[in-house]
Amino acid sequence: AVVGIFSGHARGFGFVTVEGMEQDVFIPEDKTGSALNGDKVQIVIESEGRNGRRAEGTVLKVLEHANSELVGYYQKNKNFGFVIPDDQKIAKDIFIPQGCDMGAVTGHKVVVKVTDFGDEKKKPEGRVKEILGHVNDPGTDILSLVRAYNLPEAFPEEVMKEVEDVPDQLPTEGLKELPEGFEGRRDLRDLQTVTIDGEDAKDLDDGVTLEILENGNYRLGVHIADVSNYVKEGSALDKEALKRGTSVYLVDRVIPMLPHKLSNGICSLNQGTDRLAMSCLMEVDAQGNVVDHEICESVIRSDRRMTYTAVNAILSEADTQEKEGEKAALLDEYKDFVPMFERMKALSGILREKRSKRGAIDFDFPESKIILDEKGKPVDIHPYERNVATKIIEDFMLMANETVAKEYCQGEYPFVYRTHDNPDPERVESLLTLLRHQGIQVQKACEEITPKEIQEILEQIQGMPNEMMISRLMLRTMKQARYTTECSGHFGLAAKYYCHFTSPIRRYPDLQIHRIIRDNIRGRLQREGKTEHYREILEHVAEQSSVCERRAQEAERESDRLKKAEYMSYHLGEIFDGIISGVTAYGFYVELPNTVEGLVHITALSDDYYEFDEENYELRGELTKKVYHLGQKVTVRVADADALKRTVDFSVVENTVDEMSLNE
């Protein structure tokens, strides 16, 4: 018998991942026992895997249940009820005996406490613990996600008590000199400083300054809110922040890592107010090299709260008369800042070029912005494009993150790094094989691929119809970035040193390394034995931060999928053009320009019998010789959309398929 983690499938069967085994073990539906998705199980392997087929097994017993509570849709029968779990990987309904439903009716979304996990013959059993609301009530859908991912909402009372003592402003306001108690802080309030963020951002944690020095070099200042001054290690506030790990950005709400009094108040670099900051001041030459730098505690004042939209309009060519007028008005309104924005654009270009030369990979995916009405109903979805202003901030933050990481890695201090390991050679090899079948020139096989080579492939596919799809396949080949205490580099950025320094309002690792930096600047690391203390706690901080980040990403992705499916449910029967983004044995996925992805199921292709060509990721019609392949343009009709299941189904509108003969 071996032990592994069970992954369920909507159709009832499952797979068990066993450490040290190359392939998962297949578990037929009638042999899953009481295992639910995520459970740690003991299995017996009954037939070995051969010729590419998986080994097959039976669940002997569940060692650890991952789901003591579930969120789902309640259905009432006469004297009892059932809960259909939201998690598609849990194929079993939960039986709710009479008197255990808290008065729930059909259509309620509920949290159910599982009291008996059942087996092959007997359904799991439970009792309703909380009624979240009716499935059609505004907000119930996202609240269900919040509960399903166990995301913390309200802050505990002791945390809010601590926050009461936090001041609303600094005692430096209106003073020319810094008063007592600010020794060791640099007064940078006279530097021309701006924040550049999205229109609806409320927690402004980074400000930037840029001057030209007498020697012609740039002096770039990246000033980050000094959250560590207010969140003391070991306090209730600190423990809660570590527990949360990160802020979570769902479609209709933000679940913050820190209470608003901090995140939108004293820690936010609001226009015209003095704020404590951790500043990274870098002297950068014309080639983009940091020739000198200093990391210091500071006091700054943001002169303007700028938006990406405004800065982009100032720095971009206007292509219509209307935009020309808007640009003229902005140039007038921000005339004192325009020279600095021009300098920023120039330096950003230099830094980007330098990163590109060393091979940093730039996956330029359009993120989507989902517009909701006041009742939470999605009314529009459009791609959220990067522009010159978003790139400026991105480039400056990357520069600060690298500079800080380099100093602390070379100094061999205890630290938390952002690590991105090299991809697995096997996964790279199968990707390269696929790319060759797509007609893309790739040089090598079986050796370790470099970021530079991936970047060259991305440049080669620019403008091709299947550009997005190939980029996604390449991204899936990559490993997931994580937090570690080892400085082993960042593959995607082709960076030897990297950390997260720039967002302590919304990410715990940034807050943690600000504390280390402060203790180092003030000489406490050596003097007070803090080095040993940090070595003891940082492994846990890195692991906890990585786990919370993954949970947040999954919840954010699911909230997007949910609202996209709901949006498409208002467009049933409508026709859209899209691109095939994935091909499988059971059909193919089509992505629309608004980033919605849906499935054309193989059963919806009724004109022929289609076979899946695994090597070329194609479906081929036996009689018609029709081919559906990656990157192909197709016209589809919205056949179905289910917000509960977060699925969208398309059917193909005829005359959109490439005719290819089999002997081509």
Side-chain angles (χ1 to χ4, degrees):
V2 291
V3 172
I5 302 296
F6 180 81
S7 295
H9 189 279
R11 302 223 298 272
F13 56 82
F15 301 93
V16 172
T17 309
V18 180
E19 208 169 311
M21 281 183 69
E22 267 187 35
Q23 276 198 316
D24 299 342
V25 180
F26 175 72
I27 311 290
E29 185 178 1
D30 58 349
K31 294 182 179 177
T32 58
S34 61
L36 297 179
N37 185 52
D39 288 353
K40 187 176 183 181
V41 295
Q42 185 181 50
I43 62 167
V44 62
I45 295 173
E46 295 178 329
S47 67
E48 294 296 332
R50 282 191 189 87
N51 304 328
R53 287 179 69 85
R54 284 184 170 87
E56 212 169 283
T58 297
V59 173
L60 294 180
K61 64 177 173 186
V62 176
L63 304 175
E64 277 173 39
H65 283 293
N67 308 279
S68 60
E69 290 182 4
L70 294 164
V71 175
Y73 178 87
Y74 184 79
Q75 251 181 340
K76 186 146 182 88
N77 276 11
K78 283 178 186 166
N79 302 320
F80 56 88
F82 290 99
V83 172
I84 303 160
D86 281 0
D87 186 343
Q88 299 292 295
K89 292 180 175 175
I90 296 176
K92 299 170 182 175
D93 299 345
I94 315 297
F95 176 72
I96 309 294
Q98 188 171 6
C100 295
D101 61 6
M102 283 185 75
V105 299
T106 297
H108 269 144
K109 292 301 286 288
V110 298
V111 180
V112 60
K113 172 90 180 151
V114 183
T115 52
D116 179 355
F117 286 88
D119 52 36
E120 297 98 3
K121 299 184 180 76
K122 184 178 169 228
K123 277 185 183 293
E125 204 170 288
R127 59 179 172 80
V128 173
K129 184 186 162 192
E130 183 184 2
I131 296 173
L132 302 176
H134 194 274
V135 69
N136 297 330
D137 291 346
T140 298
D141 50 0
I142 302 293
L143 182 58
S144 301
L145 264 183
V146 170
R147 288 287 189 280
Y149 282 95
N150 202 16
L151 299 172
E153 290 178 285
F155 285 92
E157 208 174 308
E158 54 185 331
V159 171
M160 297 315 288
K161 260 199 163 49
E162 280 184 5
V163 172
E164 283 172 18
D165 300 333
V166 172
D168 291 320
Q169 61 173 31
L170 293 185
T172 59
E173 291 286 356
L175 299 179
K176 281 239 176 337
E177 304 287 323
L178 292 181
E180 265 186 49
F182 284 79
E183 291 80 18
R185 280 199 182 265
R186 294 278 298 278
D187 189 349
L188 302 177
R189 292 176 296 172
D190 288 342
L191 285 179
Q192 189 182 48
T193 307
V194 293
T195 60
I196 309 176
D197 292 273
E199 272 83 352
D200 40 13
K202 303 213 170 36
D203 50 350
L204 315 177
D205 51 11
D206 52 89
V208 284
T209 56
L210 188 62
E211 311 155 279
I212 300 282
L213 299 172
E214 282 180 11
N215 62 6
N217 285 349
Y218 293 96
R219 186 176 185 243
L220 170 64
V222 172
H223 312 279
I224 307 300
D226 187 359
V227 179
S228 62
N229 185 76
Y230 304 101
V231 182
K232 301 296 182 202
E233 186 179 330
S235 64
L237 188 53
D238 179 47
K239 286 174 183 163
E240 183 67 17
L242 177 58
K243 189 175 130 193
R244 292 176 179 232
T246 178
S247 296
V248 187
Y249 296 84
L250 303 176
V251 176
D252 68 340
R253 70 193 74 186
V254 177
I255 298 174
M257 183 178 85
L258 299 170
H260 287 304
K261 188 169 181 188
L262 288 167
S263 61
N264 298 1
I266 192 70
C267 293
S268 186
L269 309 181
N270 300 332
Q271 179 175 319
T273 60
D274 288 3
R275 290 290 186 254
L276 299 182
M278 196 66 81
S279 294
C280 182
L281 302 165
M282 297 160 277
E283 184 180 337
V284 187
D285 67 17
Q287 286 72 47
N289 303 306
V290 177
V291 293
D292 194 13
H293 79 277
E294 180 191 0
I295 304 165
C296 62
E297 296 176 83
S298 62
V299 180
I300 65 159
R301 183 188 296 129
S302 168
D303 299 301
R304 277 289 182 282
R305 186 237 192 276
M306 300 298 300
T307 65
Y308 293 129
T309 311
V311 174
N312 182 53
I314 287 166
L315 294 174
S316 303
E317 291 296 320
D319 51 11
T320 64
Q321 255 184 320
E322 189 185 350
K323 284 189 178 166
E324 196 66 68
E326 283 171 19
K327 179 171 178 172
L330 287 167
L331 287 171
D332 183 51
E333 185 180 351
Y334 300 113
K335 57 180 180 290
D336 296 344
F337 297 88
V338 170
M340 182 168 73
F341 296 144
E342 298 284 4
R343 289 197 294 274
M344 287 179 172
K345 182 181 179 180
L347 177 58
S348 168
I350 292 168
L351 297 180
R352 195 156 280 260
E353 175 68 17
K354 181 171 187 270
R355 270 207 325 278
S356 176
K357 273 193 181 136
R358 75 180 188 205
I361 307 164
D362 189 9
F363 287 109
D364 190 4
F365 294 122
E367 290 182 23
S368 55
K369 189 153 178 67
I370 302 171
I371 314 294
L372 306 178
D373 67 11
E374 64 286 347
K375 288 186 175 168
K377 177 181 162 182
V379 290
D380 194 16
I381 302 173
H382 51 78
Y384 193 68
E385 297 292 345
R386 286 157 80 194
N387 59 37
V388 63
T390 61
K391 287 175 182 175
I392 284 171
I393 293 301
E394 197 178 295
D395 294 331
F396 292 178
M397 297 306 128
L398 287 174
M399 190 68 149
N401 286 337
E402 283 189 52
T403 302
V404 170
K406 184 175 181 180
E407 177 178 322
Y408 279 77
C409 182
Q410 290 184 340
E412 296 185 355
Y413 300 102
F415 213 60
V416 178
Y417 298 96
R418 181 67 168 170
T419 303
H420 186 219
D421 295 330
N422 292 6
D424 290 327
E426 297 85 34
R427 294 192 72 174
V428 169
E429 184 47 40
S430 57
L431 171 74
L432 296 181
T433 304
L434 172 70
L435 293 177
R436 288 188 196 101
H437 285 302
Q438 291 280 313
I440 291 150
Q441 289 179 342
V442 284
Q443 299 308 313
K444 54 162 67 172
C446 281
E447 298 165 49
E448 286 217 341
I449 198 164
T450 64
K452 184 79 177 161
E453 285 158 340
I454 289 178
Q455 183 208 55
E456 282 165 3
I457 294 168
L458 287 172
E459 282 168 9
Q460 200 185 137
I461 62 172
Q462 250 179 9
M464 288 169 68
N466 52 358
E467 178 186 353
M468 275 303 150
M469 176 277 303
I470 292 172
S471 297
R472 282 224 169 82
L473 285 173
M474 291 173 79
L475 186 61
R476 283 177 200 147
T477 307
M478 305 288 117
K479 287 193 173 168
Q480 202 166 18
R482 60 201 167 91
Y483 296 106
T484 62
T485 54
E486 297 296 314
C487 182
S488 55
H490 195 292
F491 178 83
L493 292 167
K496 196 173 173 186
Y497 311 99
Y498 199 66
C499 71
H500 274 170
F501 163 77
T502 53
S503 288
I505 289 178
R506 61 184 180 87
R507 289 190 304 228
Y508 194 84
D510 308 51
L511 167 59
Q512 177 65 70
I513 69 176
H514 277 220
R515 283 197 191 118
I516 297 168
I517 292 167
R518 163 184 279 113
D519 282 342
N520 186 37
I521 290 170
R522 297 186 179 188
R524 288 188 200 141
L525 279 185
Q526 288 75 20
R527 200 172 59 239
E528 295 175 23
K530 282 283 188 98
T531 299
E532 205 43 53
H533 163 69
Y534 285 127
R535 291 207 197 284
E536 281 168 17
I537 66 165
L538 290 185
E539 282 292 346
H540 171 65
V541 168
E543 177 58 30
Q544 167 71 1
S545 301
S546 296
V547 166
C548 290
E549 178 189 42
R550 282 195 292 276
R551 176 180 72 172
Q553 285 172 342
E554 282 177 30
E556 288 164 4
R557 233 186 338 258
E558 285 303 299
S559 87
D560 277 4
R561 282 182 59 202
L562 190 155
K563 287 299 178 189
K564 284 178 176 179
E566 186 187 341
Y567 176 78
M568 295 311 285
S569 74
Y570 308 132
H571 297 273
L572 295 180
E574 292 183 28
I575 291 173
F576 295 89
D577 288 327
I579 282 183
I580 296 180
S581 55
V583 183
T584 69
Y586 54 83
F588 57 85
Y589 289 91
V590 176
E591 187 173 323
L592 306 184
N594 66 4
T595 73
V596 169
E597 195 173 51
L599 175 69
V600 176
H601 198 274
I602 193 112
T603 53
L605 300 171
S606 53
D607 62 332
D608 201 348
Y609 175 74
Y610 285 87
E611 283 201 326
F612 178 47
D613 176 348
E614 207 168 339
E615 209 171 281
N616 295 307
Y617 282 83
E618 291 177 349
L619 284 174
R620 288 175 172 261
E622 210 170 67
L623 301 170
T624 59
K625 310 293 187 250
K626 276 184 186 173
V627 175
Y628 292 100
H629 59 82
L630 284 169
Q632 182 180 322
K633 290 181 178 175
V634 287
T635 304
V636 291
R637 182 179 277 108
V638 184
D640 193 22
D642 187 333
L644 270 178
K645 292 181 179 166
R646 297 160 209 158
T647 55
V648 178
D649 290 316
F650 294 137
S651 60
V652 173
V653 177
E654 279 312 308
N655 305 324
T656 62
V657 187
D658 292 358
E659 299 282 344
M660 277 174 80
S661 107
L662 277 172
N663 52 21
E664 244 177 9

